[in-house]
Amino acid sequence: MTLGALAFLNPWLLLALGTLPIIYWLLRTVPPRPQQLTFPPTRILVGLENREKTPAKSPWWLLLIRLLAAALVILALAEPILNPERNAPLAGEGPVAIVVDNGWASAPDWTARQAMVDRMISTAESQSRPVVIVPTAFPAQTFEAKIEAPAQARATARAMMPQPFAPTRNAAAEALSKTLTAADAKGVSVIWLSDGVDHKGETTTFAEMMNGLATSGTFTVVDDPTGSAPRALVGNVGTGGKLEARVLRTGTNGPANGILHAYSTRGAQLGSAQFTFNSGASETKATFELPLELRNQITRIAIADSRSAGAVSLLDARSQWQRVGLISSETSEQAQPLLAPFYYIEKALAPTAEIVKPRDANLAAGIDQALAQNVSILIFADIGTLTPEAEDQVRTWIEKGGVLVRFAGPRLEKGGDDLLPVPLRIGGRTLGGALSWSTPQKLAPFDENSLFAGLTIPNDVVVNRQVLADPARLTPETQVWARLADGTPLVTADRRGDGMIVLFHVTGNSDWSNLPISGLFVELLKRVSTLGRLGGSSETTDAQTSANGEEVASDTSTLAPLQTLDGFGVLTPPPPASRGVEVAKFADTTASLEHPPGYYGSRGSPRAINIIRSNDTLAPITSLPTGAAHRSYENAEAEPMKPWLLAAAFALILADMIAVLLLQSGGRLFGRSGPAVARSVVAMAVIATSLAATFHAAPAFAQAGVQAPRQNSATDDAKAMAATSKVTLGYVVTGDAQTDDTSRIGLAGLCRVLALRTAVTPGDPMPVDVVKDELAFYPVLYWPVLDSTPTLPEETLAKIDAYMKQGGMIVFDTRDQGRGMPAGLGFPGSESSALQRILGKLDIPRLEPVPQNHVLTKSFYLLRSFPGRWDSGQLWVEAGGVASAESNREARRADGVSTILITSNDFAAAWALDANGRPLYPTVPGGEGQREMAFRTGINIVMHALTGNYKADQVHVPALLERLGQ
């Protein structure tokens, strides 16, 4: 039964309210109080008259208290519920179809969406109805909706995760319709958990299809969780080369503001910018005020308070603002403006680069001035040869990553120098000359592996004169990015060290061709400018980097995925469904299952795909069928009133007891019976207060999903002192007594061995509740992962993330010999494992098995394997987290300490010793030799956490001794 915002789960019990008149009749008379007399001699009783009168009826206020207490008990037993619409039964008797928007816009409030799905499944379960879970963003190429029992549907819902692309709602509707039609389902109830964005303009069609499927049931739309529109952004180059970001929302909300953070490749925060939305505005801009050198290091922009792939914008070389030096053989005084060698080059580069023009007419001095200003690109116009000193200087600069772009001219017709991508034939090719065309030559279409692939060539662009590459000396390493219609190279390039040399075989002005005065010229130079300081184009590399860091051969016409964003906006290895993108189609590629947002191409110069592109907007959902019902997500669950009513009833009953005691004492608290009455009153008041506090506090904390705050601060201080007085290892309590006992005994055994073999004097290991306790006291946390491990609250995940980023180390131990490792983190396994539930929302780096020269292999003992009770599992650490002598990878964190280790070998069981030092668990299969290696593994882990990468630095000792002459 529902009465507005109040519903009763047992409404038939309200009939008991009809007994209140009977209770009134029973309570209206109070039995006379027994007369208490002292019996002296019988004579004294003669003529004794009792002056104290006992009323024949109860006082009206006492009667009211008793009636109210009875009414409250009856109401409590009827189990009233506030906000009954959240638990209201769904109309219909067929399957309950729960359609969930799980695209990028759903990620920020994914926890609330999961809670709503669970509530809908519980409602269906109470009505004995099957459930169909349908995501609108498919995680695989094919999807088939299944009608399941509520228990199986819960598992399906838990496995569903946000995807880093927009949903395809119509495809989801077709899949659901196909399943319901095949099952001949009737009375279907459809619940659509919307993300509030009209992706691809298909919302109207989708909603009509959903409403059609719920002909004899209900179609319900669940709106945005928090009432705030999803946010997204895209980064671009603004006026003067400043980095700007367009921040988008659906524009259905009032004023709002936020902060953007800019990050480098290593994850360091380089800058911040604030943005503000006016009321009803759907777009705003934010600008990062940073020096050019710092601004060009930014590879990622993210909205601070929004975890989704749409709230992240990845930047590549195309968004960088390059500093370009222009060196010419002519002085500006001698050159007419429109005929000057750099006039059209300057006009083409001005919107995307900072121009540096040395004032010194001396060629060598001009090069010195340009390089002193840290240019990333040098452009030479008709410079034939350089002095040996200048040539060596430029060659060294190129090999360190610089890009030299040369334009031809009469001086280069003499052959040029060694700073050319291809040797030239002496003498040029001109219209009407010895090596001539009968007509001016047009440009041939660009090859797919060209830097210019995908650009449209105007029909009126022709070439009248050019310098010729010597065909006999063209090598496979020479890249030809543009050709004339007869196949003659027009733009060539060659790698030199980490840099590149590019040659345009025509002049930079209109003397030899009308190319410089065309719009194509601007696009050509824009593409070339992306090479600055990045070692060449991503399209022209000979190899790609696979997900495990190895170089593999690839088709240069296709850019393979390098790193991609997951639904929460975290860069991860590419998923199995991802595919490469053709170079010619890259600019028009949108984020999808096959092409998720992320970096593509080579690790040295990747290209980025983002969810939001430069001209995109976010459209709100405005049109829904007339019969659709609406619900909204709520932060709190439906609130039962039974505890509150029972608490009030108990309080009234105690008040009644106190009133009766006072009436019996005649209102005299200080007479002969006064002290006893007063003590009874005080005791009952204390009981009433305790009961009221219990009924008040327990539901509140239960609804919020947290425990009541601790009151004993002295105990906390004592624990903090004990944890910080010595090196203390912590173990995460799981709630399973045997597991927690094994962790405690195992760490105690490891501490005993540490004290005997090293200079570390550890304290006793301490239990740690990750929800309540402070984590910063423990350099190492050992975390045994159980299958029953629940999903942690957002506040706890944030605390764990901060602990790891501030230098703490967590050793996750699944204890299952490698069978429970989750996917998507760099190692194989099931996405629904307990470890995945813990790590799924943590900002952790890519993981890899311990490399051969990792510091963990030599922090105290020299190790090649890391066994525990089992020896078949792998130990995983942060990928690229430690520098070594043979590796060029740099430490991701200070001191190179891996903040996360994951094993399945059950370390604690191998370390567990009894009071006499005897092992408690067998080690399989290696026996006591394996246990010794397990202890060495534990010692290496602790020493690595305490000392960082000092062992890695020991490889430099021979070089230092040699330099010192020893």
Side-chain angles (χ1 to χ4, degrees):
M1 186 177 72
T2 303
L3 298 174
L6 185 66
F8 294 90
L9 299 183
N10 300 314
W12 58 271
L13 284 173
L14 295 177
L15 297 175
L17 293 175
T19 63
L20 289 180
I22 300 175
I23 296 174
Y24 170 78
W25 181 78
L26 292 174
L27 296 177
R28 65 193 297 263
T29 301
V30 176
R33 177 170 174 261
Q35 188 174 7
Q36 298 179 359
L37 295 175
T38 302
F39 290 92
T42 307
R43 262 183 327 174
I44 302 176
L45 300 178
V46 177
L48 183 64
E49 181 181 358
N50 183 17
R51 297 181 179 179
E52 183 175 347
K53 305 297 181 181
T54 300
K57 298 180 180 179
S58 300
W60 67 269
W61 52 270
L62 184 60
L63 187 60
L64 180 60
I65 289 176
R66 292 172 179 176
L67 289 176
L68 284 176
L72 289 175
V73 170
I74 293 172
L75 291 173
L77 294 177
E79 298 190 50
I81 299 290
L82 278 179
N83 301 311
E85 70 277 1
R86 298 180 211 158
N87 289 332
L90 299 170
E93 63 280 350
V96 175
I98 304 176
V99 183
V100 183
D101 278 347
N102 63 323
W104 63 266
S106 66
D109 299 293
W110 186 248
T111 302
R113 298 177 193 276
Q114 286 182 313
M116 175 59 78
V117 172
D118 189 68
R119 291 201 293 273
M120 293 296 102
I121 294 176
S122 298
T123 302
E125 188 173 26
S126 68
Q127 300 177 16
S128 300
R129 301 170 66 181
V131 178
V132 187
I133 302 293
V134 182
T136 58
F138 297 157
Q141 294 289 350
T142 59
F143 173 79
E144 181 180 354
K146 297 180 180 180
I147 300 178
E148 302 174 309
Q152 286 74 31
R154 283 194 176 90
T156 302
R158 283 196 296 267
M160 186 170 49
M161 297 295 290
Q163 300 300 318
F165 44 84
T168 52
R169 291 176 177 143
N170 287 348
E174 292 173 0
L176 177 59
S177 177
K178 181 179 178 181
T179 298
L180 296 178
T181 302
D184 194 21
K186 305 295 183 183
V188 179
S189 296
V190 180
I191 301 101
W192 173 30
L193 276 66
S194 167
D195 62 17
V197 181
D198 186 6
H199 303 279
K200 306 176 183 178
E202 60 183 19
T203 301
T204 302
T205 304
F206 169 77
E208 291 175 352
M209 294 176 68
M210 293 294 98
N211 195 38
L213 293 175
T215 52
S216 57
T218 57
F219 174 45
T220 304
V221 179
V222 184
D223 298 321
D224 187 68
T226 60
S228 60
R231 295 177 180 179
L233 82 157
V234 58
N236 51 48
V237 179
T239 305
K242 293 182 179 180
L243 180 60
E244 291 184 350
R246 291 177 60 236
V247 188
L248 309 175
R249 65 173 185 175
T250 57
T252 58
N253 295 82
N257 52 50
I259 298 177
L260 303 180
H261 293 318
Y263 300 92
S264 68
T265 304
R266 300 182 181 178
Q269 182 176 325
L270 300 181
S272 298
Q274 294 184 346
F275 65 89
T276 301
F277 282 106
N278 296 324
S279 181
S282 60
E283 178 180 339
T284 187
K285 288 186 178 181
T287 303
F288 291 87
E289 301 289 345
L290 294 171
L292 181 62
E293 288 77 10
L294 202 59
R295 172 248 186 275
N296 279 345
Q297 295 181 33
I298 296 174
T299 59
R300 178 166 54 96
I301 306 173
I303 301 177
D305 58 349
S306 184
R307 293 189 62 206
S308 78
V312 175
S313 180
L314 302 177
L315 306 179
D316 55 22
R318 293 172 296 174
S319 64
Q320 292 189 348
W321 188 268
Q322 303 297 335
R323 182 175 286 136
V324 180
L326 304 182
I327 308 295
S328 172
S329 60
E330 294 186 51
T331 63
S332 58
E333 290 78 13
Q334 295 174 342
Q336 299 179 15
L338 296 180
L339 300 179
F342 283 130
Y343 179 81
Y344 301 105
I345 296 175
E346 283 189 65
K347 294 296 183 181
L349 290 175
T352 59
E354 178 181 331
I355 306 298
V356 174
K357 297 178 65 176
R359 296 181 179 277
D360 200 315
N362 183 284
L363 191 60
I367 294 174
D368 282 337
Q369 294 174 13
L371 297 184
Q373 297 185 55
N374 295 322
V375 296
S376 55
I377 298 176
L378 269 180
I379 297 182
F380 287 175
D382 190 23
I383 294 178
T385 59
L386 300 174
T387 62
E389 295 80 5
E391 183 176 343
D392 291 341
Q393 183 183 18
V394 175
R395 181 183 293 108
T396 301
W397 172 79
I398 295 172
E399 291 175 350
K400 292 181 178 180
V403 176
L404 174 63
V405 181
R406 303 187 70 167
F407 284 86
R411 293 178 179 83
L412 270 186
E413 287 182 327
K414 300 177 182 179
D417 50 27
D418 291 336
L419 296 181
L420 292 171
V422 59
L424 302 177
R425 294 188 60 173
I426 298 177
R429 186 183 187 190
T430 63
L431 186 65
L435 296 173
S436 65
W437 305 285
S438 58
T439 58
Q441 287 289 302
K442 295 185 177 182
L443 273 63
F446 298 119
D447 295 338
E448 290 185 350
N449 59 350
S450 168
L451 177 68
F452 309 137
L455 295 180
T456 301
I457 301 175
N459 292 328
D460 58 346
V461 173
V462 294
V463 175
N464 299 318
R465 182 176 179 180
Q466 69 166 148
V467 292
L468 282 173
D470 190 343
R473 301 176 67 179
L474 279 172
T475 64
E477 289 76 19
T478 303
Q479 303 170 31
V480 180
W481 290 346
R483 297 179 184 269
L484 296 178
D486 63 356
T488 307
L490 181 66
V491 181
T492 55
D494 186 32
R495 289 185 176 275
R496 300 289 175 88
D498 292 333
M500 179 167 282
I501 300 177
V502 181
L503 172 64
F504 283 77
H505 292 236
V506 293
T507 58
N509 57 18
S510 58
D511 288 348
W512 288 11
S513 168
N514 63 352
L515 173 64
I517 61 176
S518 69
L520 176 63
F521 190 67
V522 177
E523 296 298 327
L524 296 182
L525 290 187
K526 186 176 180 180
R527 293 277 182 99
V528 171
S529 68
T530 64
L531 306 178
R533 289 296 184 189
L534 293 177
S537 72
S538 59
E539 298 87 355
T540 58
T541 54
D542 299 326
Q544 307 292 346
T545 307
S546 63
N548 59 6
E550 297 178 353
E551 294 290 332
V552 296
S554 68
D555 182 2
T556 55
S557 64
T558 302
L559 304 183
L562 180 64
Q563 280 186 307
T564 59
L565 293 172
D566 64 11
F568 294 104
V570 178
L571 281 172
T572 63
S578 62
R579 299 289 182 268
V581 183
E582 294 182 19
V583 173
K585 300 178 180 179
F586 194 90
D588 299 324
T589 302
T590 58
S592 63
L593 175 63
E594 292 187 346
H595 308 306
Y599 288 115
Y600 290 73
S602 69
R603 189 173 295 276
S605 179
R607 294 277 295 273
I609 292 179
N610 287 296
I611 290 179
I612 306 299
R613 300 193 294 178
S614 58
N615 296 323
D616 287 350
T617 58
L618 297 184
I621 295 175
T622 56
S623 178
L624 291 174
T626 306
H630 284 270
R631 290 190 183 182
S632 62
Y633 298 88
E634 297 291 342
N635 294 329
E637 300 286 341
E639 185 175 357
M641 297 186 64
K642 181 178 180 179
W644 298 88
L645 295 176
L646 286 178
F650 273 112
L652 290 176
I653 291 172
L654 290 173
D656 178 84
M657 297 170 65
I658 294 172
V660 170
L661 287 174
L662 290 174
L663 290 175
Q664 288 180 350
S665 66
R668 298 185 297 272
L669 292 178
F670 303 101
R672 288 175 296 175
S673 60
V677 174
R679 286 194 296 270
S680 299
V681 171
V682 173
M684 291 179 184
V686 172
I687 294 173
T689 303
S690 301
L691 285 174
T694 302
F695 280 107
H696 179 275
F701 285 110
Q703 297 296 327
V706 299
Q707 298 181 357
R710 297 166 293 164
Q711 301 297 328
N712 194 347
S713 60
T715 303
D716 295 342
D717 293 342
K719 186 174 182 179
M721 291 295 293
T724 55
S725 59
K726 291 184 177 181
V727 174
T728 303
L729 306 183
Y731 63 92
V732 176
V733 293
T734 62
D736 181 80
Q738 182 178 358
T739 300
D740 295 342
D741 199 44
T742 300
S743 299
R744 177 183 58 82
I745 298 174
L747 289 184
L750 176 61
C751 290
R752 187 186 308 178
V753 176
L754 273 170
L756 290 175
R757 301 186 186 182
T758 71
V760 179
T761 307
D764 295 332
M766 299 184 67
V768 178
D769 186 333
V770 293
V771 176
K772 298 186 299 183
D773 293 342
E774 175 59 55
L775 307 182
F777 303 143
Y778 311 97
V780 178
L781 278 181
Y782 178 77
W783 192 325
V785 180
L786 303 181
D787 291 338
S788 59
T789 301
T791 302
L792 297 175
E794 295 287 345
E795 296 79 4
T796 303
L797 290 172
K799 182 167 68 172
I800 295 171
D801 185 68
Y803 167 76
M804 292 194 298
K805 289 181 177 179
Q806 292 171 4
M809 175 190 290
I810 301 181
V811 182
F812 291 97
D813 195 338
T814 61
R815 310 179 305 148
D816 56 7
Q817 306 182 60
R819 294 190 296 271
M821 293 296 186
L825 297 174
F827 38 85
S830 169
E831 292 187 359
S832 59
S833 68
L835 183 59
Q836 180 68 31
R837 290 198 298 272
I838 297 174
L839 301 182
K841 294 185 179 180
L842 287 177
D843 183 17
I844 63 173
R846 183 172 63 87
L847 304 178
E848 66 179 356
V850 177
Q852 181 179 358
N853 293 295
H854 196 281
V855 177
L856 268 176
T857 64
K858 53 192 173 185
S859 58
F860 195 83
Y861 290 103
L862 297 178
L863 300 178
R864 293 185 178 180
S865 62
F866 304 89
R869 185 183 182 187
W870 321 112
D871 194 20
S872 57
Q874 184 64 263
L875 182 62
W876 298 80
V877 297
E878 292 185 30
V882 180
S884 63
E886 292 80 10
S887 174
N888 292 324
R889 295 176 302 177
E890 298 183 1
R892 197 181 73 89
R893 301 291 183 209
D895 288 338
V897 177
S898 180
T899 59
I900 179 173
L901 276 67
I902 300 179
T903 185
S904 58
N905 286 336
D906 199 356
F907 285 162
W911 299 334
L913 305 174
D914 63 12
N916 297 319
R918 293 174 297 192
L920 296 180
Y921 299 93
T923 48
V924 181
E928 293 309 303
Q930 180 177 325
R931 190 182 309 279
E932 171 61 25
M933 298 307 295
F935 274 117
R936 294 187 179 188
T937 296
I939 292 174
N940 274 28
I941 290 174
V942 175
M943 298 304 289
H944 175 46
L946 298 179
T947 61
N949 60 355
Y950 85 104
K951 281 290 184 179
D953 294 337
Q954 301 306 302
V955 299
H956 303 298
V957 169
L960 295 175
L961 293 177
E962 181 180 357
R963 180 174 296 182
L964 293 173
Q966 301 180 11

